[in-house]
Amino acid sequence: MLDMETLWAEVAEQFKKRSAPTAYETWVNTAKPVALDGNQLTIELPSALHRDYWKSNKMDQQLVEYAYQATHEDIQPVLVLEEELKRPVAKAPASTTANSDTPTFRKDIQLNSKYTFDTFVIGKGNQMAHAAALVVSEEPGAMYNPLLLYGGVGLGKTHLMHAIGNKMIDDNPSTKVKYVTSEAFTNDFINAIQTHSQEEFRQEYRNVDLLLVDDIQFFADKEGTQEEFFHTFNSLYNDNKQIVLTSDRLPNEIPKLQDRLVSRFAWGLSVDITPPDLETRIAILRNKANADRIDIPDDTLSYIAGQIDSNVRELEGALARVQAYSRLKSAPITTDLVADALQSLNLTDKVTQLTIPVIMTKVANYYHVSVADLKGKKRVKTIVMPRQIAMYLSRELTDSSLPKIGNEFGGKDHTTVIHAYDKIADQLKSDDALQKEIGDLKSELQH
Ligand SMILES: Nc1ncnc2c1ncn2[C@@H]1O[C@H](COP(=O)(O)OP(=O)(O)OP(=O)(O)O)[C@@H](O)[C@H]1O
């Protein structure tokens, strides 16, 4: 998932491409992202008039589209005015009464109240994980400690983890739950060192009944954090407090994860989640469509489920996209409309889709430099220019996010990619030779 600034940069850029300059300045440039909570993006607008304009021109729905293109996630915008942000906000109820459009978070612990066992569809790939999670929520600290859920992206690991927390709080509202991603744990830990508040940090993490740590693969390489987490783990474990972890792979496959952590993580139960089969995908879509009150025929649902087989997040994203598309066109959701809406995802010829390495190789050959040069840091002009052109083409011809492109080019920052893109785009306006070179490269790449 992108961070808020990057997501906004991507979305704003799409608006810019598709709006007249004055419209962009008036309506988009005055908007400011203020929070990204889960999938909810809060955007501050300067006046009620701006909000009316956004709504009546369906800019919020366009935003869902653009955000989907950037993240493949169903991002829900919430438009607020500056003065509303200053007013105290009523606390969200700590139950699952949320309307399905706006996920409520149990603010203090960041549990998404929509991620419950009730809303989780059980299928072949996740039934073990579901059963283990349920046992843990009923008898925390007893049978499976720690519980580790692992598997590919968007398959419901976070959902199940939150479901455990939500159920334990529903069963006993005084249960203390702490949910963090491993990155948040790392940041808290570094902050605690910087502000000399290690004691508070320990209190916060060791004084809970349930600790949920998401995406522990990002502990790789972080020595100090692993050390601290080791002590946190021991303290909770010795007190029979439940620990639940998620990861995209087994701990022994996480590079540079200390052996003592790897062995502790194996004390409990590790269960994997695999991608859902067709029936499960249809059931998930049906559930989601019902929850969001989307009117969609069964054969159309099956069609979507047949097209998207990678993960549940993409499946949900596709449904959001279809919904946004049907609103934009003011047309009911049919299989034809879905085919149109999903067309730009190029689902049918995924294999032939251009990838960044292919673009890099082509550009490197064309300019007689090496791919390593493109990924490297040399600042000589004969390399910088091809590197920027390759970044430009990666942005134009693939739907990779800016951070992903940066990553492929030897771990560069996304701002470097934006800079390269803008520079080439600008130069293209007046440089005929460059226009020809990029034209040649594009046609070679696309045939
Ligand atoms: N079996 C399921 N039933 C209903 N919804 C599901 C199911 N599996 C996943 N989802 C939904 O799919 C989306 C992605 O799931 P989730 O965030 O839990 O994935 P993840 O495995 O934690 O991915 P990542 O590794 O990227 O963090 C969520 O909105 C979640 O509610």
Side-chain angles (χ1 to χ4, degrees):
M1 176 74 172
L2 303 183
D3 64 46
M4 182 179 79
E5 303 300 341
T6 318
L7 171 62
W8 183 252
E10 297 261 0
V11 165
E13 202 184 318
Q14 292 302 325
F15 273 118
K16 193 174 195 171
K17 273 194 197 155
R18 292 171 173 77
S19 327
T22 45
Y24 175 79
E25 286 304 320
T26 315
W27 307 113
V28 183
N29 221 6
T30 50
K32 193 168 88 190
V34 288
L36 180 62
D37 259 3
N39 280 10
Q40 183 172 314
L41 175 66
T42 307
I43 298 157
E44 186 189 301
L45 299 176
S47 76
L49 186 131
H50 284 78
R51 183 157 59 193
D52 289 347
Y53 186 92
W54 266 71
K55 296 245 172 204
S56 55
N57 288 281
K58 301 201 167 99
M59 287 173 69
D60 47 348
Q61 287 165 29
Q62 285 168 12
L63 186 145
V64 173
E65 271 283 307
Y66 302 156
Y68 179 80
Q69 284 165 17
T71 62
H72 281 203
E73 294 220 21
D74 172 16
I75 302 290
Q76 289 301 326
V78 178
L79 305 178
V80 294
L81 306 185
E82 199 186 351
E83 66 235 40
E84 289 169 342
L85 284 177
K86 287 190 194 132
R87 256 180 250 153
V89 182
K91 225 177 166 227
S95 69
T96 51
T97 50
N99 125 6
S100 95
D101 285 328
T102 41
T104 25
F105 284 81
R106 286 175 146 150
K107 277 274 179 246
D108 35 350
I109 42 178
Q110 289 293 315
L111 286 188
N112 185 337
S113 57
K114 280 167 75 181
Y115 289 174
T116 62
F117 286 114
D118 287 347
T119 56
F120 191 81
V121 176
I122 305 168
K124 262 197 214 111
N126 62 30
Q127 59 191 2
M128 271 286 289
H130 173 267
L134 200 58
V135 169
V136 160
S137 71
E138 280 163 359
E139 291 183 63
M143 288 259 273
Y144 307 135
N145 205 14
L147 172 65
L148 172 78
L149 305 170
Y150 70 97
V153 294
L155 295 180
K157 301 182 295 292
T158 305
H159 186 134
L160 276 181
M161 177 180 239
H162 284 218
I164 298 173
N166 281 321
K167 174 147 186 345
M168 281 176 63
I169 294 174
D170 287 343
D171 291 349
N172 177 0
S174 63
T175 311
K176 286 197 216 121
V177 178
K178 175 102 188 140
Y179 166 79
V180 273
T181 59
S182 61
E183 286 130 316
F185 182 90
T186 306
N187 290 339
D188 280 2
F189 173 59
I190 293 169
N191 252 330
I193 297 174
Q194 284 168 349
T195 57
H196 305 289
S197 52
Q198 280 112 313
E199 194 40 48
E200 283 86 341
F201 173 86
R202 284 178 190 143
Q203 283 289 328
E204 194 176 332
Y205 278 93
R206 298 185 192 182
N207 194 10
V208 296
D209 302 303
L210 171 66
L211 177 64
L212 308 169
V213 186
D214 215 347
D215 289 328
I216 57 161
Q217 69 272 15
F218 295 121
F219 276 149
D221 266 343
K222 301 197 180 90
E223 273 291 317
T225 310
Q226 289 188 26
E227 176 81 27
E228 183 61 34
F229 189 67
F230 174 75
H231 296 298
T232 307
F233 183 100
N234 289 345
S235 161
L236 289 169
Y237 187 86
N238 291 335
D239 288 346
N240 294 324
K241 304 301 190 193
Q242 179 70 44
I243 301 154
V244 181
L245 310 166
T246 73
S247 172
D248 65 351
R249 66 200 90 166
L250 274 170
N252 61 10
E253 292 164 352
I254 300 175
K256 306 216 176 127
L257 185 66
Q258 294 173 4
D259 287 345
R260 56 187 186 165
L261 280 179
V262 173
S263 72
R264 268 168 182 71
F265 294 164
W267 283 351
L269 178 71
S270 303
V271 221
D272 70 335
I273 303 192
T274 54
D277 56 15
L278 181 67
E279 284 72 33
T280 315
R281 297 202 298 277
I282 295 174
I284 290 173
L285 279 176
R286 166 57 61 215
N287 257 23
K288 180 92 181 117
N290 287 346
D292 292 351
R293 289 186 219 96
I294 306 174
D295 196 12
I296 177 163
D298 278 338
D299 58 338
T300 308
L301 276 186
S302 308
Y303 176 79
I304 302 176
Q307 295 286 309
I308 314 260
D309 58 5
S310 43
N311 70 52
V312 182
R313 185 174 295 127
E314 298 218 345
L315 205 57
E316 291 188 335
L319 189 62
R321 186 188 178 87
V322 164
Q323 191 185 13
Y325 197 78
S326 122
R327 282 201 207 130
L328 276 175
K329 300 253 157 188
S330 304
I333 301 178
T334 58
T335 305
D336 279 351
L337 180 123
V338 167
D340 257 5
L342 300 186
Q343 198 186 25
S344 57
L345 297 179
N346 284 337
L347 297 161
T348 42
D349 56 358
K350 252 192 180 151
V351 251
T352 59
Q353 244 180 47
L354 268 182
T355 62
I356 298 171
V358 170
I359 294 175
M360 285 199 278
T361 310
K362 178 66 73 186
V363 173
N365 289 342
Y366 190 90
Y367 289 104
H368 306 290
V369 296
S370 69
V371 170
D373 283 335
L374 297 183
K375 291 183 175 184
K377 293 203 169 101
K378 283 191 206 141
R379 306 276 326 141
V380 288
K381 197 164 177 238
T382 45
I383 295 174
V384 171
M385 190 72 179
R387 185 184 295 140
Q388 290 179 331
I389 289 173
M391 287 182 179
Y392 172 87
L393 289 170
S394 301
R395 180 117 180 74
E396 282 276 296
L397 303 179
T398 75
D399 55 10
S400 304
S401 65
L402 293 166
K404 175 157 193 306
I405 299 175
N407 223 2
E408 297 256 3
F409 280 82
K412 298 196 173 53
D413 196 73
H414 71 272
T415 51
T416 311
V417 184
I418 296 181
H419 173 74
Y421 182 87
D422 288 348
K423 186 160 167 265
I424 299 296
D426 198 47
Q427 201 167 328
L428 268 176
K429 289 181 198 150
S430 55
D431 185 336
D432 293 347
L434 183 66
Q435 276 173 16
K436 176 169 182 323
E437 289 167 23
I438 289 195
D440 286 350
L441 279 164
K442 273 191 174 171
S443 67
E444 282 185 36
L445 281 162
Q446 287 171 323
H447 290 108

